[in-house]
Amino acid sequence: MSHSGPDRAYDVIVVGGGINGLTTACYLQKSGLSVACFERKLEAGAGCCTEEVLHPGVKVNLCACNLVTLWSPAYGDLELEKYGLEMLTSSEWGMFHPFLDRTAVMFHSWDPRKQYEHWKTIDAHDAEVFKTLYNALAPGMSDALQQMLYSQATKGPEEAEGPEGTAAMFRHILPDLPENAHELTGIELVEAVYRNDKIRTALLTNGVMMGALPWNRGEDAILSVIFPVIQILNSATWTARGGSHAVTHALCSCFAAHGGRLFTGCPVDSFVMEGDEVQGVVLSKHAVYPEAEIHARRAVVSNLSCHPTFLGLIGEEKLPDPVKEGVHAYRYDEGMMFTNYWVLDRPPRWEGYPPELDRAYGFNFGLESVDDIRRMERNLANDELPSPPLVAGLSVQGFSLADPTQAPEGQYTAMSWACVPYELPAHGGPEKWDEIRESYGDEVDRLLARYNPGMMDSVVARYCNSPLDYYRKNPSQTFGATRSGSAGGRWYGTARPFPGCGAPRTPFGKLYLSNSIWPVGTSTLGAGYVAATEVAKDLGVREGQDWWRHRPLEAGIEVLRRRGIEIELGIA
Ligand SMILES: Cc1cc2nc3c(=O)[nH]c(=O)nc-3n(C[C@H](O)[C@H](O)[C@H](O)COP(=O)(O)OP(=O)(O)OC[C@H]3O[C@@H](n4cnc5c(N)ncnc54)[C@H](O)[C@@H]3O)c2cc1C
């Protein structure tokens, strides 16, 4: 084959070269199918990108920053290290939550004993709760993640909240939990389990960071309770050498090495349909190959979120009524972030705080008590801009500490994500984000200066992004929703993106989803993995792939072991 453009047909077409679409593409190509992936932008991986938007040499990780890729079976199955991925972190302390009184709740990244000893200095009762939870949950965490993140959802919202669900299991571990634990919100459950208000606040804030909104019930509520256990086992607070885009690059290299074809600059305009079966794709007239029609012999996987897939690529007029209803009911109203990205002329120093904070990877700030979590719930429910801001989406100061290649010599990078709504009714609508972007950025600066004035004094450049900016950069991140749509409450599990869809399968022949499905599309690569698994099963290529065998957490444990760190699965 001498031409560089797409062939007329492939076994499988993947629409959208985000990290989950690429994960699906890699697995299916490696399983012997011919796969083409069409990406709208000139670079793949819109949600996991690194760009020099400030000045040369300052690598800005615009979206995914807290890389969770070491959890993923894909790390081993797809040999991502061989294709250039090197995971780095800045400290054994992954996360912390500072308070204005110069205390902090810290979260260790791999040593449960150090976590326990640290919490004992804050609250002996809560330290014992952590120990009990860790000893009960750590040995089974790989299996639990396989079930939660790397298998098709089997539970809907009702089962997640039901008395026989995970909450019941927790009552077995923590017998003091109230009988109605399964009915409690995250806030109520954390208050029932832990006694110290700073620990409670830090846990609930980290729940928000993970997408487990503390005002939800069921499994969302439980995630805040078990956050320190997850933090130790998840190897989450990592960057990659060269920036987050290295994850995308490793996937692209893997895909190409196995013969897959990635076409960038190729927005897909619509599906080719025959009745209710998807037969292929038509590229946009602005694509590098304008209006090219490419056929899919066996499957099409959409890595676009719910609305762009069903309303955009299929078209509202072709949707049966129940599907139309489900798609329109789907909400993109969780996980909107406002970013401040800073370049510093000296490394961060947390004067007056424990010294471990100076090199810790990430932190949240601006939430002093559980009341601030309640303020967040009120603000977001009413589309109000939190003032002062609530930085619960994560801040990172560890990029250039872990990987000096991410900033020019003598400079350091840091960022923060404040939780905000997309709609701004009080300001006149979401388009007003352009007018208030810098002033809201100033509010975040002023807030951080209350915790760390020296850090703000060392700022030499700043770059802010609003949810509207994110939406413009990637229409699949509709309204800037970082998790491709809401995931809690009525869109939990099998109900995501709508009840009866069967995601990653859909009501349309040959069409699968690897986005807006359960689990939410993060750098765990879970959504891409689940889509690959179900497509491979349906196409009869899953069996006999000896390389497709890794378990969640395995890679993280192995990478740490090579660095001389052994994760203990129990605290004596
Ligand atoms: C501000 C922000 C912060 C985040 N932080 C984290 C984090 O710390 N950790 C984490 O794990 N995750 C984080 N995420 C989520 C992150 O986006 C995901 O982890 C991941 O990158 C999503 O990958 P994906 O493949 O599922 O979707 P996407 O990256 O959205 O992939 C969809 C792809 O489709 C392309 N596309 C869109 N329309 C078309 C079209 N018509 N035709 C062809 N291609 C099209 C897009 O350009 C994009 O490349 C964050 C997201 C945002 C926005």
Side-chain angles (χ1 to χ4, degrees):
M1 188 86 46
S2 60
H3 68 91
S4 58
D7 293 344
R8 284 169 56 82
Y10 295 86
D11 291 334
V12 178
I13 289 175
V14 176
V15 181
I19 51 175
N20 280 295
L22 286 168
T23 298
T24 308
C26 285
Y27 272 94
L28 297 178
Q29 180 73 36
K30 203 170 166 181
S31 299
L33 298 165
S34 74
V35 182
C37 177
F38 294 94
E39 163 58 38
R40 167 183 169 267
K41 297 178 84 171
L42 288 169
E43 271 287 334
C48 196
C49 57
T50 305
E51 293 177 29
E52 297 193 4
V53 288
L54 269 163
H55 52 86
V58 176
K59 299 189 174 67
V60 178
N61 299 308
L62 285 168
C63 295
C65 285
N66 208 10
L67 298 179
V68 205
T69 316
L70 280 174
W71 277 19
S72 183
Y75 191 91
D77 289 346
L78 302 179
E79 302 178 287
L80 297 183
E81 272 183 18
K82 176 173 139 188
Y83 294 109
L85 183 60
E86 185 184 353
M87 304 297 289
L88 299 167
T89 192
S90 56
S91 161
E92 59 185 331
W93 292 98
M95 291 289 301
F96 65 94
H97 188 120
F99 294 88
L100 287 170
D101 64 4
R102 278 19 187 188
T103 60
V105 174
M106 304 192 298
F107 296 92
H108 204 279
S109 282
W110 49 74
D111 190 333
R113 160 82 33 202
K114 286 191 180 172
Q115 181 67 53
Y116 172 65
E117 296 296 339
H118 164 55
W119 274 21
K120 268 206 318 198
T121 66
I122 303 174
D123 187 293
H125 167 271
D126 291 356
E128 293 308 320
V129 170
F130 163 69
K131 186 171 165 182
T132 304
L133 284 172
Y134 190 82
N135 286 342
L137 298 176
M141 190 55 88
S142 176
D143 288 345
L145 287 179
Q146 182 71 40
Q147 185 63 32
M148 280 159 49
L149 292 184
Y150 299 104
S151 306
Q152 189 178 13
T154 53
K155 286 192 218 165
E158 300 78 25
E159 294 96 319
E161 288 179 25
E164 303 308 322
T166 320
M169 185 188 94
F170 272 84
R171 285 198 43 240
H172 184 66
I173 302 170
L174 299 171
D176 291 346
L177 271 187
E179 290 228 349
N180 65 341
H182 58 279
E183 294 169 358
L184 301 181
T185 65
I187 296 176
E188 291 162 345
L189 197 59
V190 163
E191 287 182 332
V193 172
Y194 295 98
R195 289 193 187 156
N196 182 278
D197 198 52
K198 287 180 177 167
I199 286 180
R200 288 171 171 172
T201 307
L203 289 175
L204 291 164
T205 305
N206 280 304
V208 174
M209 185 188 80
M210 286 191 296
L213 298 181
W215 39 91
N216 285 337
R217 293 164 210 280
E219 292 185 9
D220 260 14
I222 284 159
L223 279 175
S224 299
V225 173
I226 65 169
F227 175 78
V229 180
I230 297 180
Q231 170 64 22
I232 284 176
L233 292 169
N234 76 6
S235 317
T237 33
W238 295 72
T239 186
R241 181 178 294 279
S244 301
H245 203 54
V247 176
T248 304
H249 273 292
L251 289 164
C252 290
S253 300
C254 171
F255 186 45
H258 290 283
R261 296 297 309 275
L262 169 67
F263 297 96
T264 54
C266 284
V268 172
D269 181 69
S270 56
F271 287 146
V272 180
M273 306 278 298
E274 216 175 272
D276 63 1
E277 189 165 283
V278 177
Q279 301 291 346
V281 299
V282 181
L283 303 188
S284 126
K285 62 181 178 201
H286 305 297
V288 172
Y289 306 101
E291 300 181 74
E293 189 172 310
I294 302 105
H295 285 256
R297 285 184 284 265
R298 307 189 67 185
V300 173
V301 180
S302 174
N303 192 47
L304 309 193
S305 68
C306 176
H307 285 189
T309 298
F310 293 98
L311 302 176
L313 299 178
I314 295 179
E316 179 149 12
E317 66 291 349
K318 298 204 187 96
L319 301 180
D321 284 342
V323 175
K324 201 185 299 180
E325 221 170 89
V327 169
H328 279 296
Y330 188 66
R331 285 283 163 270
Y332 292 88
D333 56 4
E334 277 175 21
M336 276 68 167
M337 306 288 187
F338 182 95
T339 322
N340 281 36
Y341 208 98
W342 300 285
V343 186
L344 316 175
D345 66 6
R346 52 184 186 269
R349 287 276 170 269
W350 287 81
E351 294 290 338
Y353 287 95
E356 290 88 344
L357 268 54
D358 288 351
R359 285 195 64 87
Y361 185 79
F363 58 105
N364 290 299
F365 62 96
L367 295 100
E368 286 288 308
S369 72
V370 177
D371 280 347
D372 280 323
I373 299 278
R374 296 200 175 93
R375 173 161 69 93
M376 181 187 302
E377 179 183 7
R378 274 196 313 277
N379 286 160
L380 298 186
N382 297 321
D383 286 326
E384 293 161 0
L385 203 48
S387 182
L390 295 161
V391 180
L394 177 70
S395 302
V396 176
Q397 60 174 14
F399 300 127
S400 54
L401 298 177
D403 172 21
T405 74
Q406 292 192 35
E409 209 178 333
Q411 296 192 350
Y412 302 84
T413 54
M415 55 77 63
S416 72
W417 281 324
C419 299
V420 295
Y422 172 75
E423 305 287 344
L424 293 175
H427 295 79
E431 59 284 0
K432 297 293 174 190
W433 269 117
D434 290 342
E435 284 171 29
I436 64 166
R437 185 195 302 105
E438 296 309 313
S439 61
Y440 201 65
D442 293 343
E443 269 210 64
V444 175
D445 282 8
R446 283 196 292 275
L447 181 67
L448 184 52
R450 295 184 63 201
Y451 293 85
N452 191 337
M455 191 161 160
M456 285 297 97
D457 284 347
S458 69
V459 172
V460 292
R462 187 185 81 184
Y463 176 77
C464 293
N465 264 184
S466 73
L468 179 61
D469 295 319
Y470 288 117
Y471 189 15
R472 287 191 186 115
K473 286 182 213 284
N474 179 1
S476 177
Q477 250 152 14
T478 306
F479 309 144
T482 55
R483 294 185 290 275
S484 309
S486 305
R490 64 186 270 212
W491 292 279
Y492 180 85
T494 50
R496 197 170 199 260
F498 52 86
C501 178
R505 294 176 184 82
T506 69
F508 294 90
K510 291 196 340 203
L511 178 64
Y512 296 79
L513 305 176
S514 60
N515 202 318
S516 288
I517 67 169
W518 195 266
V520 294
T522 67
S523 60
T524 58
L525 308 179
Y529 182 92
V530 169
T533 306
E534 300 309 314
V535 175
K537 278 195 225 160
D538 287 357
L539 302 190
V541 297
R542 176 64 187 89
E543 294 305 314
Q545 312 295 346
D546 295 343
W547 51 271
W548 190 335
R549 66 181 154 73
H550 290 82
R551 304 283 301 167
L553 300 184
E554 225 178 75
I557 289 172
E558 173 55 24
V559 165
L560 286 173
R561 190 170 288 149
R562 276 192 255 132
R563 295 176 195 184
I565 298 161
E566 202 65 44
I567 300 189
E568 300 293 339
L569 293 183
I571 310 170

